[in-house]
Amino acid sequence: MDKEAQLKKINTELKVYINEASFVSTSCRNRLIRLLGKTFDISLPVENFARIDVLLLEDGSIEMRDEVYRREEVLSFDDVIARYQGFKEKADAMLRRRGSDTFSGNEARNILNLFMVLLIMVLFIALIGYTIDAFLDGNYIHCIWLIMIVSSWFIPSVRDRFIQAFLYLKRKFKR
């Protein structure tokens, strides 16, 4: 395979890596770009643009957003290939580690919120049973507990928990 075909294949793979990293998060994409710069001993600026194209040049320089970032010394094409292989292994490991196998922070918070809502609902149902029992026994003072719990519905944090849990479940079952 000639140099141009290998370089074209490498740049296509670079685009795939950057797209995968962008899918995970912008910070993952920025880490991947920093890793590429570190591999080729080039200080690349990390910016939060929506789309970034990165091209590896034959001499080991990197073109990003129509600007060429050059190394102090020119690398042979074999060195470029060897460094790219090292980058590729590290990038694969990073993307595997940060992939969709783990919960995102938001996902974990939503699941925790579901457990909290479930706990509140169990407590509410137990309190309704206790209040009905107290009402039938004639202990009307104990019925105040139900009024206190129902009035907590007006506290925004409890109401927001139920709304957030409902919207999360709606999103999950919509997929």
Side-chain angles (χ1 to χ4, degrees):
M1 191 184 295
D2 64 333
K3 288 182 181 181
E4 287 183 28
Q6 279 185 319
L7 206 54
K8 186 174 182 178
K9 181 182 175 203
I10 286 172
N11 285 326
T12 302
E13 288 177 357
L14 268 176
K15 286 182 183 181
V16 169
Y17 280 123
I18 289 178
N19 285 337
E20 283 183 36
S22 295
F23 181 72
V24 172
S25 70
T26 304
S27 65
C28 183
R29 180 196 66 190
N30 291 345
R31 265 189 234 119
L32 188 78
I33 291 172
R34 275 191 225 110
L35 178 65
L36 180 66
K38 183 179 175 185
T39 303
F40 286 94
D41 300 324
I42 297 174
S43 177
L44 293 174
V46 178
E47 301 162 343
N48 287 330
F49 291 108
R51 202 171 151 256
I52 293 180
D53 286 332
V54 176
L55 295 174
L56 186 61
L57 302 178
E58 190 174 324
D59 63 350
S61 300
I62 297 174
E63 183 179 335
M64 186 169 80
R65 297 196 53 80
D66 298 327
E67 191 171 329
V68 178
Y69 298 93
R70 301 207 180 275
R71 295 177 37 87
E72 290 180 14
E73 58 199 50
V74 177
L75 292 175
S76 69
F77 191 70
D78 293 332
D79 286 340
V80 171
I81 298 295
R83 286 184 183 224
Y84 176 72
Q85 291 301 325
F87 163 78
K88 193 173 166 181
E89 292 171 5
K90 291 177 185 173
D92 283 336
M94 182 175 73
L95 288 174
R96 223 176 307 121
R97 185 176 63 241
R98 300 211 20 108
S100 62
D101 295 341
T102 58
F103 286 125
S104 67
N106 196 24
E107 187 84 12
R109 283 190 294 273
N110 281 326
I111 290 172
L112 180 64
N113 185 46
L114 279 176
F115 285 125
M116 292 298 292
V117 165
L118 184 64
L119 181 69
I120 290 171
M121 287 175 57
V122 166
L123 180 68
F124 187 72
I125 290 171
L127 195 58
I128 286 176
Y130 175 74
T131 304
I132 290 172
D133 188 41
F135 183 76
L136 293 176
D137 286 342
N139 296 330
Y140 301 115
I141 294 292
H142 294 293
C143 295
I144 294 175
W145 288 108
L146 180 65
I147 294 170
M148 289 175 53
I149 294 296
V150 169
S151 67
S152 72
W153 179 259
F154 297 114
I155 299 172
S157 63
V158 174
R159 185 177 48 233
D160 290 343
R161 276 192 187 275
F162 277 92
I163 292 170
Q164 183 181 8
F166 174 74
L167 293 176
Y168 173 71
L169 288 174
K170 186 177 173 183
R171 275 193 317 268
K172 282 298 179 182
F173 288 122
K174 196 173 195 177
R175 292 181 189 173

